[in-house]
Amino acid sequence: MGATPSGVRIPPSPPNIYKAYQLDVHTMRFMTYNILDGGGNRLDLIAKVINNAHPDIITINEANGFNEDNGQKLKRLSQKTGLPYYHLALSGEYDYHVAVISKIPFKARQEVHPLMRAGIIVVVETEFGDVSICGTHLTPYSEAQRIPEIRLIIDSQKKYKNRVLMGDMNSLSSNDGYPSSMPEDFNESQLKKFTKDKILQFQVTNTINTAKYIDVAIKLRKQADKTAPTSSNQDVTHASTRLDYIFVSTNLESHIASYQVIKDELTERASDHYPVLVELS
């Protein structure tokens, strides 16, 4: 096994696994999950949430500490979820790494730099053809700082025909029906994060939407399902919003089968964000 730039070892792909996967699976399930500060003592609970959802590929935001001890936390989560392939992209500041864990081996991997948090692109072979999956966690500080980050990510993924873009965008969507008066109830942290001159900002998601991506929640009219905060929330920047997104390229639009923000007793306790799950068929 070879060491990656982040120091986490990737298990080799068993022979003919692409062919076996294509023969056995006619759907793909993508999941994104911000697990809050590396999961803390909640890692077993997070594994249960993932196992209940049965994703083929999941991107983990706030994979804090997943680079320590030769990636022991990442390996442990991989083992507990039965998703044997993984990679970790290190954060540009602090410890807010992004991990991807998969049932399917990676044909290619690319970390996106520079970002204040992290971004990773992996390519897998499926019945849809090669699919590029990007998991990212945009900076929480301001929309102005997120705009160059999302442009860099879109530019890094544009060479692929089939694209999935998912993660905690820390941004709002103009399609979600937020009232213009919403900033009146914001604290100072929320104002800085979501507004300019107390006006809600939507440039990040608008930029994604105009780059030939489909917001799956909008497509299936599920945008009213907010992804944060859960009842475990302690983050003063959180409001009742949709921050976690899954986008697919327009050529995959006809394959969209389902979208779910997973809300149950487990997800209320496992993190301050709810996981998001999309199925293509």
Side-chain angles (χ1 to χ4, degrees):
M1 295 188 292
T4 69
S6 60
V8 177
R9 293 190 177 279
I10 304 298
S13 302
N16 300 322
I17 193 164
Y18 297 129
K19 182 178 180 181
Y21 185 83
Q22 289 178 328
L23 288 172
D24 293 341
V25 177
H26 300 283
T27 63
M28 284 196 70
R29 294 165 71 86
F30 301 91
M31 185 172 177
T32 184
Y33 200 5
N34 184 323
I35 64 170
L36 177 60
D37 196 21
N41 60 2
R42 296 167 280 108
L43 208 61
D44 288 346
L45 186 57
I46 289 164
K48 289 181 181 179
V49 170
I50 296 171
N51 287 333
N52 287 346
H54 305 292
D56 296 299
I57 296 178
I58 178 171
T59 55
I60 301 288
N61 295 130
E62 295 199 21
N64 303 20
F66 277 41
N67 59 321
E68 299 172 0
D69 301 321
N70 196 29
Q72 286 301 313
K73 288 179 72 173
L74 180 54
K75 293 176 183 178
R76 179 183 168 197
L77 190 59
S78 168
Q79 291 168 354
K80 285 184 172 294
T81 57
L83 303 174
Y85 303 97
Y86 49 81
H87 190 70
L88 183 69
L90 298 183
S91 177
E93 63 170 7
Y94 309 126
D95 196 30
Y96 294 99
H97 312 313
V98 172
V100 58
I101 310 176
S102 174
K103 177 190 292 186
I104 318 167
F106 307 136
K107 292 185 68 175
R109 293 167 298 181
Q110 173 189 350
E111 296 181 18
V112 183
H113 300 289
L115 298 174
M116 290 187 184
R117 295 290 167 93
I120 183 170
I121 296 172
V122 297
V123 179
V124 298
E125 185 176 341
T126 76
E127 287 189 344
F128 306 103
D130 285 356
V131 178
S132 163
I133 300 104
C134 180
T136 192
H137 187 185
L138 300 185
T139 178
Y141 301 131
S142 72
E143 192 81 344
Q145 291 170 293
R146 290 188 285 271
I147 293 171
E149 292 190 331
I150 198 59
R151 286 175 177 165
L152 173 62
I153 289 166
I154 290 170
D155 187 61
S156 299
Q157 205 180 21
K158 67 181 181 182
K159 62 185 176 183
Y160 302 103
K161 177 183 177 181
N162 300 313
R163 290 164 282 130
V164 177
L165 170 58
M166 57 184 177
D168 181 353
M169 305 299 172
N170 272 314
S171 299
L172 306 182
S173 171
S174 59
N175 294 300
D176 287 9
Y178 299 111
S180 59
S181 61
M182 188 175 180
E184 295 175 7
D185 296 322
F186 280 172
N187 58 41
E188 287 301 316
S189 296
Q190 293 164 337
L191 287 171
K192 182 178 179 180
K193 182 174 182 176
F194 296 123
T195 77
K196 180 180 179 181
D197 299 326
K198 296 188 177 182
I199 298 174
L200 293 173
Q201 301 295 292
F202 307 110
Q203 291 98 320
V204 166
T205 52
N206 287 345
T207 298
I208 300 171
N209 290 330
T210 57
K212 297 185 178 180
Y213 289 87
I214 300 293
D215 183 336
V216 179
I218 299 297
K219 170 69 177 178
L220 298 184
R221 300 181 180 180
K222 296 290 187 70
Q223 65 267 35
D225 293 341
K226 309 310 181 188
T227 69
T230 70
S231 57
S232 302
N233 179 62
Q234 296 181 0
D235 188 342
V236 296
T237 67
H238 279 160
S240 181
T241 53
R242 187 164 67 101
L243 300 180
D244 308 87
Y245 297 80
I246 298 182
F247 299 87
V248 301
S249 52
T250 52
N251 57 295
L252 292 175
E253 181 177 6
S254 63
H255 296 287
I256 295 172
S258 66
Y259 170 94
Q260 181 184 9
V261 180
I262 302 172
K263 297 183 178 182
D264 56 31
E265 185 271 336
L266 292 179
T267 61
E268 290 293 345
R269 296 188 290 119
S271 177
D272 58 350
H273 285 242
Y274 296 104
V276 179
L277 182 71
V278 162
E279 183 173 293
L280 302 183
S281 66

